[in-house]
Amino acid sequence: LRYYLISQIPTQDDGDLTEERMAAVYVSDLQNGLGNLVARVAAMAEGQELGTRKQELVISDDVAKALEQYKFDEAMASIWERIKKADQYVSEKKVWALTGEEKTKALVWLVGEIRQIAVDLAPFMPGTAEKISKQYGGDKIVKGEALFPRLSS
């Protein structure tokens, strides 16, 4: 509900709130978007020696600017653009089929993107951001449970 209200309802405007629309957004954005990206990259990175160190990250400039202006839907749109870009990168580069240094470079970039996404999500979805940060926070990344369980009919 929190994600839907923040991402789909403009702060200064009316919005459409129906159970069907909420379910559709949950599946498309959360399960198939963010959840799928986090799971796919974790599956590819698990057991890999990436040499990534957790850095102190801060909220992205575009997300911070939108927050300052109380444009929460724009902040979420910016985060979801980053998610889509990372997902597109996985598909276009066929990261699962890469080997050696090429795969390592791809995974290092993706892990960095996911860590940044977690930081950017923290003001809006603190529980989800914390789960991602724990999963991607150490030197070794491990697969975890699905971030967003399937909806029951």
Side-chain angles (χ1 to χ4, degrees):
L1 178 63
R2 180 190 320 220
Y3 170 75
Y4 183 85
L5 292 174
I6 293 170
S7 69
Q8 303 296 310
I9 311 287
T11 309
Q12 308 286 329
D13 241 337
D14 291 337
D16 180 29
L17 178 62
T18 65
E19 192 173 332
E20 294 80 20
R21 178 89 175 107
M22 280 186 6
V25 168
Y26 177 88
V27 170
S28 69
D29 290 5
L30 298 178
Q31 280 182 338
N32 297 340
L34 176 60
N36 189 45
L37 175 66
V38 169
R40 284 174 79 189
V41 173
M44 290 185 284
E46 187 173 47
Q48 300 283 322
E49 292 292 332
L50 300 178
T52 58
R53 281 182 242 122
K54 181 138 182 177
Q55 303 166 309
E56 279 301 313
L57 299 172
V58 296
I59 292 177
S60 302
D61 290 341
D62 50 345
V63 174
K65 184 178 177 185
L67 277 171
E68 288 170 6
Q69 298 172 0
Y70 300 100
K71 294 181 178 179
F72 305 127
D73 56 323
E74 290 181 18
M76 291 301 269
S78 177
I79 296 166
W80 252 256
E81 278 304 310
R82 181 176 237 128
I83 292 167
K84 288 175 190 171
K85 181 180 172 188
D87 200 39
Q88 188 175 19
Y89 180 88
V90 171
S91 297
E92 287 178 1
K93 295 273 187 188
K94 296 184 170 114
V95 176
W96 62 90
L98 298 176
T99 57
E101 189 160 327
E102 197 174 13
K103 184 171 191 167
T104 300
K105 283 182 181 178
L107 289 172
V108 166
W109 184 81
L110 286 163
V111 166
E113 286 297 288
I114 290 172
R115 286 176 175 166
Q116 184 62 56
I117 288 164
V119 169
D120 289 344
L121 276 177
F124 309 106
M125 301 171 69
T128 299
E130 185 177 341
K131 287 177 187 176
I132 296 169
S133 292
K134 282 182 181 174
Q135 185 176 4
Y136 281 81
D139 293 335
K140 299 224 182 226
I141 289 134
V142 293
K143 291 188 281 188
E145 291 190 27
L147 284 177
F148 304 99
R150 299 282 174 212
L151 294 176
S152 55
S153 304

Coordinates of all heavy atoms in Angstrom, one line a residue, residues 59-122:
I59 N 21.7 9.2 -0.6 CA 20.6 9.2 -1.6 C 21.0 10.0 -2.9 O 21.7 11.0 -2.8 CB 19.4 9.9 -0.9 CG1 18.8 9.0 0.2 CG2 18.3 10.2 -1.9 CD1 17.7 9.6 1.0
S60 N 20.6 9.4 -4.0 CA 20.9 10.0 -5.3 C 20.4 11.5 -5.4 O 19.4 11.8 -4.8 CB 20.3 9.2 -6.4 OG 20.7 7.9 -6.4
D61 N 21.1 12.3 -6.1 CA 20.7 13.7 -6.3 C 19.3 13.9 -6.8 O 18.6 14.7 -6.2 CB 21.7 14.4 -7.2 CG 23.1 14.6 -6.6 OD1 23.2 14.5 -5.4 OD2 24.0 14.8 -7.4
D62 N 18.9 13.1 -7.8 CA 17.6 13.3 -8.3 C 16.5 12.9 -7.3 O 15.5 13.6 -7.3 CB 17.4 12.6 -9.7 CG 17.9 11.1 -9.6 OD1 18.6 10.7 -8.7 OD2 17.5 10.4 -10.5
V63 N 16.7 11.9 -6.6 CA 15.8 11.5 -5.5 C 15.7 12.5 -4.4 O 14.7 12.9 -4.0 CB 16.1 10.1 -5.0 CG1 15.2 9.7 -3.8 CG2 16.0 9.0 -6.1
A64 N 16.9 13.0 -4.0 CA 16.9 14.0 -3.0 C 16.2 15.3 -3.4 O 15.5 15.9 -2.6 CB 18.4 14.3 -2.6
K65 N 16.4 15.7 -4.6 CA 15.8 16.9 -5.1 C 14.2 16.7 -5.1 O 13.5 17.6 -4.7 CB 16.2 17.2 -6.5 CG 15.7 18.5 -7.1 CD 16.2 18.8 -8.5 CE 15.6 20.0 -9.0 NZ 16.0 20.3 -10.4
A66 N 13.8 15.6 -5.6 CA 12.3 15.3 -5.6 C 11.8 15.3 -4.1 O 10.7 15.8 -3.9 CB 12.0 14.0 -6.3
L67 N 12.5 14.7 -3.2 CA 12.1 14.7 -1.8 C 12.0 16.1 -1.2 O 11.0 16.4 -0.5 CB 13.1 13.9 -1.0 CG 13.0 12.4 -0.9 CD1 14.2 11.7 -0.3 CD2 11.7 12.0 -0.2
E68 N 13.0 16.9 -1.5 CA 12.9 18.3 -1.0 C 11.7 19.1 -1.5 O 11.2 20.0 -0.9 CB 14.2 19.1 -1.5 CG 15.5 18.6 -0.8 CD 16.7 19.2 -1.4 OE1 16.6 20.0 -2.3 OE2 17.8 18.8 -1.0
Q69 N 11.2 18.7 -2.7 CA 10.1 19.4 -3.3 C 8.8 18.6 -3.0 O 7.7 18.9 -3.6 CB 10.2 19.5 -4.8 CG 11.4 20.4 -5.2 CD 11.7 20.3 -6.7 OE1 11.1 19.7 -7.4 NE2 12.8 21.1 -7.0
Y70 N 8.8 17.6 -2.1 CA 7.7 16.8 -1.8 C 7.0 16.1 -3.0 O 5.8 15.8 -3.0 CB 6.6 17.6 -1.0 CG 7.2 18.1 0.3 CD1 7.6 19.5 0.4 CD2 7.3 17.3 1.4 CE1 8.1 20.0 1.5 CE2 7.9 17.8 2.6 CZ 8.3 19.2 2.6 OH 8.8 19.7 3.8
K71 N 7.8 15.8 -4.0 CA 7.4 15.1 -5.2 C 7.8 13.6 -5.1 O 8.7 13.2 -5.8 CB 7.9 15.8 -6.4 CG 7.4 17.2 -6.6 CD 8.0 17.8 -7.9 CE 7.4 19.2 -8.0 NZ 7.9 19.9 -9.2
F72 N 7.1 12.9 -4.2 CA 7.4 11.6 -3.8 C 7.3 10.6 -5.0 O 8.0 9.7 -5.2 CB 6.6 11.1 -2.6 CG 6.8 12.0 -1.4 CD1 5.7 12.5 -0.8 CD2 8.1 12.3 -1.0 CE1 5.8 13.3 0.3 CE2 8.2 13.2 0.1 CZ 7.1 13.6 0.8
D73 N 6.2 10.9 -5.8 CA 6.0 10.1 -7.0 C 7.1 10.2 -8.0 O 7.6 9.3 -8.7 CB 4.7 10.4 -7.7 CG 4.5 11.8 -8.1 OD1 5.0 12.7 -7.3 OD2 3.9 12.1 -9.1
E74 N 7.7 11.4 -8.1 CA 8.9 11.6 -9.0 C 10.1 11.0 -8.5 O 10.9 10.4 -9.2 CB 9.1 13.1 -9.2 CG 8.0 13.8 -10.1 CD 8.2 15.3 -10.3 OE1 9.4 15.7 -10.1 OE2 7.3 16.0 -10.7
A75 N 10.3 11.0 -7.2 CA 11.4 10.3 -6.6 C 11.3 8.8 -6.9 O 12.3 8.2 -7.3 CB 11.4 10.5 -5.1
M76 N 10.1 8.2 -6.7 CA 10.0 6.8 -7.0 C 10.1 6.5 -8.5 O 10.7 5.5 -8.8 CB 8.6 6.3 -6.5 CG 8.4 6.3 -5.0 SD 9.6 5.3 -4.2 CE 8.7 3.8 -4.1
A77 N 9.7 7.4 -9.3 CA 9.9 7.2 -10.8 C 11.4 7.2 -11.1 O 11.8 6.4 -11.9 CB 9.2 8.3 -11.6
S78 N 12.1 8.0 -10.4 CA 13.6 8.0 -10.7 C 14.2 6.7 -10.2 O 15.1 6.2 -10.9 CB 14.2 9.2 -9.9 OG 15.6 9.2 -10.0
I79 N 13.8 6.2 -9.1 CA 14.3 4.9 -8.6 C 14.0 3.8 -9.5 O 14.8 3.0 -9.9 CB 13.8 4.6 -7.2 CG1 14.3 5.7 -6.2 CG2 14.2 3.2 -6.7 CD1 13.6 5.7 -4.8
W80 N 12.7 3.8 -10.0 CA 12.3 2.8 -10.9 C 13.0 2.9 -12.3 O 13.2 1.9 -13.0 CB 10.8 2.7 -11.0 CG 10.3 1.5 -10.3 CD1 9.9 0.3 -10.9 CD2 10.3 1.2 -8.9 NE1 9.7 -0.6 -9.9 CE2 9.9 -0.1 -8.7 CE3 10.6 2.0 -7.8 CZ2 9.8 -0.7 -7.5 CZ3 10.5 1.4 -6.6 CH2 10.1 0.1 -6.4
E81 N 13.4 4.0 -12.7 CA 14.2 4.2 -13.9 C 15.5 3.4 -13.7 O 16.0 2.8 -14.6 CB 14.4 5.6 -14.3 CG 13.3 6.2 -15.0 CD 12.9 5.5 -16.3 OE1 13.8 5.2 -17.1 OE2 11.7 5.1 -16.5
R82 N 16.1 3.6 -12.6 CA 17.4 2.9 -12.3 C 17.2 1.4 -12.3 O 18.0 0.6 -12.8 CB 17.9 3.4 -10.9 CG 19.2 2.8 -10.5 CD 19.8 3.3 -9.2 NE 21.1 3.8 -9.6 CZ 21.6 5.0 -9.3 NH1 20.8 5.9 -8.7 NH2 22.8 5.4 -9.7
I83 N 16.1 0.9 -11.7 CA 15.8 -0.5 -11.7 C 15.6 -1.0 -13.1 O 16.2 -2.0 -13.5 CB 14.5 -0.8 -10.9 CG1 14.7 -0.5 -9.4 CG2 14.0 -2.2 -11.1 CD1 13.5 -0.4 -8.5
K84 N 14.9 -0.3 -13.9 CA 14.7 -0.7 -15.3 C 16.0 -0.7 -16.1 O 16.2 -1.6 -16.9 CB 13.7 0.2 -16.0 CG 12.3 0.1 -15.6 CD 11.3 1.1 -16.2 CE 10.0 1.1 -15.5 NZ 9.1 2.2 -16.0
K85 N 16.8 0.3 -15.8 CA 18.1 0.3 -16.5 C 19.0 -0.9 -16.1 O 19.6 -1.5 -17.0 CB 18.8 1.6 -16.1 CG 20.2 1.8 -16.8 CD 20.8 3.2 -16.3 CE 22.2 3.3 -16.8 NZ 22.9 4.5 -16.2
A86 N 19.0 -1.2 -14.9 CA 19.8 -2.4 -14.4 C 19.2 -3.7 -15.0 O 20.0 -4.5 -15.5 CB 19.8 -2.4 -12.9
D87 N 17.9 -3.8 -15.0 CA 17.3 -5.0 -15.6 C 17.5 -5.1 -17.1 O 17.8 -6.2 -17.6 CB 15.8 -5.0 -15.3 CG 15.1 -6.3 -15.4 OD1 15.8 -7.3 -15.0 OD2 14.0 -6.4 -16.0
Q88 N 17.5 -4.0 -17.8 CA 17.8 -3.9 -19.2 C 19.2 -4.3 -19.5 O 19.6 -5.1 -20.4 CB 17.5 -2.5 -19.8 CG 17.6 -2.4 -21.2 CD 17.2 -1.0 -21.7 OE1 17.2 -0.1 -20.9 NE2 16.8 -0.9 -23.0
Y89 N 20.1 -3.9 -18.6 CA 21.6 -4.2 -18.7 C 21.8 -5.7 -18.6 O 22.5 -6.3 -19.4 CB 22.3 -3.5 -17.6 CG 23.8 -3.7 -17.5 CD1 24.7 -2.9 -18.3 CD2 24.3 -4.7 -16.7 CE1 26.0 -3.1 -18.2 CE2 25.7 -5.0 -16.7 CZ 26.6 -4.2 -17.4 OH 27.9 -4.4 -17.4
V90 N 21.1 -6.4 -17.6 CA 21.2 -7.8 -17.5 C 20.7 -8.5 -18.8 O 21.4 -9.4 -19.3 CB 20.3 -8.3 -16.3 CG1 20.2 -9.8 -16.3 CG2 20.9 -7.8 -15.0
S91 N 19.6 -8.1 -19.3 CA 19.1 -8.7 -20.5 C 19.9 -8.5 -21.8 O 20.2 -9.4 -22.5 CB 17.7 -8.2 -20.8 OG 16.8 -8.6 -19.7
E92 N 20.3 -7.2 -22.0 CA 21.1 -6.9 -23.2 C 22.5 -7.5 -23.1 O 23.0 -8.0 -24.2 CB 21.2 -5.4 -23.3 CG 19.9 -4.7 -23.8 CD 20.0 -3.2 -23.9 OE1 21.1 -2.6 -23.6 OE2 18.9 -2.6 -24.2
K93 N 23.2 -7.5 -22.0 CA 24.5 -8.0 -21.9 C 24.5 -9.6 -21.7 O 25.6 -10.2 -21.8 CB 25.2 -7.4 -20.7 CG 25.5 -5.9 -20.8 CD 26.8 -5.7 -21.5 CE 27.1 -4.2 -21.5 NZ 28.3 -3.9 -22.3
K94 N 23.3 -10.1 -21.4 CA 23.2 -11.5 -21.1 C 24.2 -12.0 -20.1 O 25.1 -12.8 -20.3 CB 23.4 -12.4 -22.4 CG 22.3 -12.1 -23.4 CD 22.4 -13.0 -24.6 CE 21.2 -12.8 -25.4 NZ 21.3 -12.2 -26.7
V95 N 24.2 -11.3 -19.0 CA 25.2 -11.4 -17.9 C 25.3 -12.9 -17.5 O 26.4 -13.3 -17.1 CB 24.8 -10.5 -16.7 CG1 25.8 -10.7 -15.5 CG2 24.8 -9.0 -17.1
W96 N 24.2 -13.6 -17.4 CA 24.2 -15.0 -17.0 C 25.1 -15.9 -17.9 O 25.6 -16.9 -17.5 CB 22.8 -15.6 -17.0 CG 22.2 -15.6 -18.4 CD1 22.2 -16.6 -19.3 CD2 21.4 -14.5 -18.9 NE1 21.5 -16.2 -20.4 CE2 21.0 -14.9 -20.2 CE3 21.0 -13.3 -18.5 CZ2 20.2 -14.1 -21.1 CZ3 20.2 -12.5 -19.3 CH2 19.8 -12.9 -20.6
A97 N 25.4 -15.4 -19.1 CA 26.2 -16.2 -20.1 C 27.6 -15.7 -20.1 O 28.5 -16.4 -20.8 CB 25.6 -16.1 -21.5
L98 N 27.9 -14.6 -19.5 CA 29.3 -14.1 -19.5 C 30.2 -14.9 -18.7 O 29.8 -15.7 -17.8 CB 29.3 -12.6 -19.0 CG 28.5 -11.6 -19.8 CD1 28.6 -10.2 -19.1 CD2 29.1 -11.5 -21.2
T99 N 31.5 -14.8 -18.9 CA 32.5 -15.5 -18.1 C 33.6 -14.6 -17.8 O 33.8 -13.5 -18.3 CB 33.0 -16.7 -18.9 OG1 33.6 -16.3 -20.1 CG2 32.0 -17.8 -19.2
G100 N 34.4 -15.1 -16.8 CA 35.6 -14.4 -16.4 C 35.5 -12.9 -16.0 O 34.5 -12.6 -15.3
E101 N 36.4 -12.1 -16.4 CA 36.4 -10.7 -16.0 C 35.2 -9.9 -16.5 O 34.8 -9.0 -15.9 CB 37.7 -10.0 -16.5 CG 37.9 -8.7 -15.9 CD 39.3 -8.2 -15.9 OE1 40.2 -9.0 -15.7 OE2 39.5 -6.9 -16.0
E102 N 34.8 -10.3 -17.7 CA 33.6 -9.6 -18.2 C 32.4 -9.8 -17.3 O 31.6 -8.9 -17.1 CB 33.3 -10.2 -19.7 CG 32.4 -9.3 -20.5 CD 32.3 -9.8 -21.9 OE1 32.6 -11.0 -22.2 OE2 31.7 -9.0 -22.7
K103 N 32.2 -11.0 -16.8 CA 31.1 -11.3 -15.9 C 31.3 -10.6 -14.6 O 30.4 -10.0 -14.0 CB 30.9 -12.8 -15.7 CG 29.7 -13.1 -14.8 CD 29.5 -14.6 -14.8 CE 28.1 -14.9 -14.1 NZ 27.7 -16.3 -14.3
T104 N 32.5 -10.6 -14.1 CA 32.8 -9.9 -12.8 C 32.5 -8.4 -12.9 O 31.9 -7.9 -12.0 CB 34.3 -10.1 -12.4 OG1 34.5 -11.5 -12.3 CG2 34.6 -9.4 -11.1
K105 N 33.0 -7.8 -14.0 CA 32.7 -6.3 -14.2 C 31.2 -6.0 -14.2 O 30.7 -5.1 -13.6 CB 33.4 -5.8 -15.5 CG 34.8 -5.6 -15.4 CD 35.4 -5.0 -16.7 CE 36.9 -4.8 -16.6 NZ 37.4 -4.3 -17.9
A106 N 30.5 -6.9 -14.9 CA 29.0 -6.7 -15.0 C 28.4 -6.8 -13.7 O 27.5 -6.0 -13.3 CB 28.4 -7.7 -16.0
L107 N 28.8 -7.8 -12.9 CA 28.2 -8.1 -11.6 C 28.5 -7.0 -10.6 O 27.7 -6.6 -9.8 CB 28.5 -9.5 -11.1 CG 27.9 -10.6 -11.8 CD1 28.5 -12.0 -11.3 CD2 26.4 -10.6 -11.6
V108 N 29.8 -6.5 -10.7 CA 30.2 -5.4 -9.8 C 29.3 -4.2 -10.0 O 28.9 -3.5 -9.1 CB 31.7 -5.1 -10.0 CG1 32.1 -3.8 -9.3 CG2 32.5 -6.2 -9.4
W109 N 29.1 -3.9 -11.3 CA 28.2 -2.7 -11.6 C 26.8 -2.9 -11.1 O 26.2 -2.0 -10.5 CB 28.2 -2.4 -13.1 CG 27.4 -1.2 -13.5 CD1 27.9 0.1 -13.4 CD2 26.1 -1.2 -13.9 NE1 26.8 0.9 -13.8 CE2 25.7 0.2 -14.1 CE3 25.1 -2.1 -14.2 CZ2 24.5 0.6 -14.5 CZ3 23.8 -1.7 -14.6 CH2 23.5 -0.4 -14.7
L110 N 26.3 -4.1 -11.4 CA 24.9 -4.4 -10.9 C 24.8 -4.4 -9.4 O 23.8 -3.8 -8.9 CB 24.5 -5.8 -11.5 CG 24.1 -5.8 -13.0 CD1 24.1 -7.2 -13.5 CD2 22.8 -5.1 -13.2
V111 N 25.7 -4.9 -8.7 CA 25.7 -4.9 -7.2 C 25.7 -3.5 -6.7 O 25.0 -3.1 -5.8 CB 26.9 -5.7 -6.6 CG1 27.0 -5.5 -5.2 CG2 26.6 -7.2 -6.9
G112 N 26.6 -2.6 -7.3 CA 26.6 -1.2 -7.0 C 25.3 -0.5 -7.2 O 24.8 0.3 -6.4
E113 N 24.6 -0.8 -8.3 CA 23.3 -0.2 -8.6 C 22.3 -0.7 -7.6 O 21.5 0.1 -7.2 CB 22.9 -0.6 -10.0 CG 23.6 0.1 -11.2 CD 23.4 1.6 -11.1 OE1 22.3 2.0 -11.5 OE2 24.3 2.3 -10.8
I114 N 22.3 -2.0 -7.3 CA 21.3 -2.5 -6.3 C 21.5 -1.9 -4.9 O 20.6 -1.5 -4.2 CB 21.3 -4.0 -6.3 CG1 20.7 -4.5 -7.6 CG2 20.5 -4.5 -5.1 CD1 20.8 -6.0 -7.8
R115 N 22.8 -1.7 -4.6 CA 23.0 -1.1 -3.3 C 22.5 0.4 -3.3 O 22.0 0.8 -2.3 CB 24.5 -1.1 -3.0 CG 25.0 -2.5 -2.6 CD 26.5 -2.5 -2.4 NE 27.0 -3.8 -1.9 CZ 28.2 -4.2 -1.9 NH1 29.2 -3.5 -2.4 NH2 28.5 -5.4 -1.4
Q116 N 22.7 1.1 -4.4 CA 22.2 2.5 -4.5 C 20.7 2.5 -4.5 O 20.1 3.4 -3.8 CB 22.8 3.2 -5.7 CG 22.4 4.6 -5.8 CD 22.9 5.5 -4.7 OE1 24.1 5.5 -4.5 NE2 22.1 6.1 -4.0
I117 N 20.1 1.6 -5.1 CA 18.6 1.5 -5.1 C 18.1 1.3 -3.7 O 17.1 1.9 -3.3 CB 18.1 0.3 -6.0 CG1 18.3 0.7 -7.5 CG2 16.7 0.0 -5.8 CD1 18.3 -0.4 -8.5
A118 N 18.8 0.5 -2.9 CA 18.4 0.3 -1.5 C 18.5 1.5 -0.7 O 17.5 1.9 0.1 CB 19.2 -0.8 -0.9
V119 N 19.5 2.3 -0.9 CA 19.7 3.6 -0.2 C 18.6 4.6 -0.6 O 17.9 5.2 0.2 CB 21.1 4.2 -0.5 CG1 21.2 5.6 0.0 CG2 22.2 3.3 0.1
D120 N 18.3 4.6 -1.9 CA 17.3 5.5 -2.4 C 15.9 5.1 -1.9 O 15.0 6.0 -1.8 CB 17.3 5.6 -3.9 CG 18.5 6.3 -4.5 OD1 19.2 7.0 -3.7 OD2 18.8 6.2 -5.7
L121 N 15.6 3.8 -1.8 CA 14.3 3.3 -1.3 C 14.1 3.5 0.2 O 12.9 3.5 0.6 CB 14.2 1.9 -1.6 CG 13.7 1.4 -3.0 CD1 13.8 -0.1 -3.1 CD2 12.4 2.0 -3.3
A122 N 15.1 3.7 1.0 CA 15.0 3.7 2.4 C 14.0 4.7 3.0 O 13.2 4.3 3.9 CB 16.4 3.9 3.1

